[in-house]
Amino acid sequence: MKRIGNLHCKITDRGNVELADRNARRGKSSNYGVRLHDRNREKNINELIAAMGDLTIRTSPYTEETISNGAKKRNISKLPYYPDLIRTHAESQVLAPLWRKVYPYNTYSCIPGRGISACAERVKKIIRKYDGKPLYALTTDIQKFYQSIDHETMKQVIRKKLKCDGALALLDEQIESHSGMVIGGYLSPQMANLLLSYLIHYVNRVMKVDCVEYADDIVYFSDSKQRLREVLEVVMEYYAEHSLTLKSNWQIFPIAVNRQDRNGRALDFIGFKFYRKQTLLRKHIKQNLCRKVARLRKKGVHGKELRIRISAWLGWAMACDSKHLLKTILKEDYESVLRPKAC
């Protein structure tokens, strides 16, 4: 693989840093950190460029925060807008395009133009490929993925693609600033994708096994259970070499034709339940949508306004076979929500 150099000067280029400042503030214009930075914006930019240029910059102290996603709670680490968010955007603007060339075509997390909808379409395409054949899935997850990423391992993976000492020094300092990889860090998902890319490339090119990766959740497909057991051995070996631990909840199972089929079961992945002939919403997403619509209806919200308020759930529902579900939930609002021009 060709290693890329001459990156430090691109990261610290004034135009790149000013662009990073504009990009980092999107949706945060009223944020206290942004307003504080704007009081001395020119001076701050000059100091940031100088500190990154002579490699004296140090990551600011982290602020820990707990966020809740339904029943699941997660601790994230936050950094101030200046200098840290501007810095990471400046690095990402130069490095992300290079790393995206390493990412396999079937990696979907935190990559522009991909995401959950594209990932769901890939899974459906793979399932259709096995029409008329047996179809088994191997589901895997990593134990405390970000927290368990070894710093030296991450540095070596980055050095497979980069050879610029200045850029590597900036990244090394950020990696060392926190145990594992930072949950909530702007560069963390990009580095995590890079860490798993070489495993996915091996499975794609050498083992010729279909798979889909979203963050640390990876699903492998085959018409043979034995082949998936061979894949599992490779996965366990790769994780051990990179100081990662495979969760004990891995499974190999046949994918059912539909929810009435008792000879298999659904693939529960990225918020959907994938069958061979249908795709449904995961139960808790469906429940959240129903509760949200019920609350809005009590407030008298209908039509276009209702569509705006539930747009996130509509994105999930419209990517699967949920027409009947939407008709049941939305009732008289179905036409106006799904076809806003009719409002």
Side-chain angles (χ1 to χ4, degrees):
M1 179 185 294
K2 182 180 179 181
R3 297 170 69 224
I4 309 297
N6 193 33
L7 299 170
H8 187 217
C9 60
K10 295 179 181 178
I11 292 172
T12 57
D13 176 75
R14 171 170 289 276
N16 183 59
V17 176
E18 289 178 346
L19 176 62
D21 185 18
R22 293 194 296 272
N23 288 335
R25 68 177 57 227
R26 288 179 180 172
K28 303 185 184 74
S29 58
S30 61
N31 183 284
Y32 173 74
V34 177
R35 291 186 281 113
L36 185 65
H37 163 63
D38 284 346
R39 294 175 188 174
N40 297 287
R41 187 176 185 184
E42 190 68 22
K43 178 176 177 287
N44 288 343
I45 292 293
N46 290 335
E47 291 179 353
L48 176 57
I49 292 172
M52 288 198 297
D54 60 20
L55 303 178
T56 58
I57 190 168
R58 295 293 179 266
T59 302
S60 303
Y62 290 92
T63 302
E64 304 298 325
E65 182 178 320
T66 301
I67 61 173
S68 178
N69 180 16
K72 192 173 184 179
K73 291 185 178 180
R74 179 171 291 147
N75 294 322
I76 64 170
S77 302
K78 300 176 70 174
L79 287 168
Y81 178 80
Y82 174 84
D84 301 273
L85 291 190
I86 301 175
R87 170 193 178 178
T88 52
H89 273 76
E91 293 165 344
S92 178
Q93 286 165 183
V94 174
L95 301 177
L98 303 177
W99 287 339
R100 282 198 290 271
K101 293 179 181 179
V102 179
Y103 299 157
Y105 67 90
N106 44 355
T107 292
Y108 288 91
S109 175
C110 300
I111 302 175
R114 299 193 191 181
I116 288 178
S117 294
C119 184
E121 289 304 313
R122 172 65 62 179
V123 173
K124 293 176 190 177
K125 184 176 181 180
I126 292 173
I127 289 175
R128 288 195 297 270
K129 176 181 173 181
Y130 288 86
D131 191 29
K133 302 177 185 177
L135 176 58
Y136 299 93
L138 162 63
T139 58
T140 63
D141 196 359
I142 299 173
Q143 182 75 36
K144 296 187 180 298
F145 182 33
Y146 278 23
Q147 301 96 312
S148 64
I149 292 177
D150 178 70
H151 289 170
E152 291 305 315
T153 298
M154 192 70 254
K155 291 177 187 178
Q156 293 307 311
V157 169
I158 290 172
R159 281 161 172 76
K160 289 183 179 182
K161 186 63 179 176
L162 309 183
K163 64 177 181 180
C164 174
D165 290 340
L168 290 170
L170 288 174
L171 294 174
D172 287 352
E173 190 278 328
Q174 285 173 293
I175 291 170
E176 292 290 350
S177 69
H178 196 278
S179 59
M181 293 296 293
V182 183
I183 298 177
Y186 189 69
L187 289 175
S188 296
Q190 300 175 34
M191 293 184 186
N193 281 343
L194 195 66
L195 178 59
L196 295 177
S197 288
Y198 300 97
L199 168 64
I200 303 303
H201 278 303
Y202 183 85
V203 172
N204 288 342
R205 297 176 180 178
V206 178
M207 303 194 76
K208 307 292 184 184
V209 171
D210 293 305
C211 65
V212 178
E213 175 202 345
Y214 196 91
D216 59 332
D217 292 324
I218 311 177
V219 182
Y220 305 87
F221 301 87
S222 178
D223 58 2
S224 165
K225 280 188 176 181
Q226 180 56 38
R227 188 59 171 160
L228 291 180
R229 292 190 184 99
E230 294 169 4
V231 171
L232 181 61
E233 290 181 8
V234 170
V235 169
M236 295 177 72
E237 182 179 344
Y238 185 89
Y239 287 177
E241 289 175 358
H242 293 80
S243 304
L244 301 173
T245 303
L246 178 70
K247 271 189 180 179
S248 59
N249 63 351
W250 64 267
Q251 298 177 4
I252 297 175
F253 58 89
I255 298 180
V257 174
N258 51 42
R259 58 183 173 181
Q260 284 79 38
D261 183 9
R262 295 295 177 263
N263 295 316
R265 67 174 187 271
L267 168 62
D268 193 337
F269 182 55
I270 59 166
F272 298 100
K273 298 181 75 173
F274 295 95
Y275 297 90
R276 301 193 67 162
K277 297 298 182 183
Q278 65 180 162
T279 304
L280 304 175
L281 280 178
R282 185 178 284 166
K283 183 177 179 180
H284 81 83
I285 294 176
K286 181 171 63 175
Q287 289 174 335
N288 289 341
L289 171 59
C290 294
R291 290 164 184 161
K292 182 69 174 181
V293 171
R295 287 196 299 268
L296 291 172
R297 192 168 274 128
K298 283 183 179 179
K299 295 179 181 179
V301 178
H302 297 280
K304 184 178 179 180
E305 182 63 21
L306 179 61
R307 177 186 174 87
I308 293 171
R309 299 281 194 95
I310 64 169
S311 57
W313 287 276
L314 282 180
W316 292 93
M318 295 173 71
C320 62
D321 304 316
S322 294
K323 184 176 180 180
H324 178 72
L325 171 67
L326 291 175
K327 281 187 174 181
T328 303
I329 297 171
L330 299 175
K331 299 176 182 175
E332 68 275 6
D333 289 305
Y334 178 78
E335 291 295 326
S336 59
V337 168
L338 273 295
R339 299 172 178 81
K341 290 182 180 180
C343 293

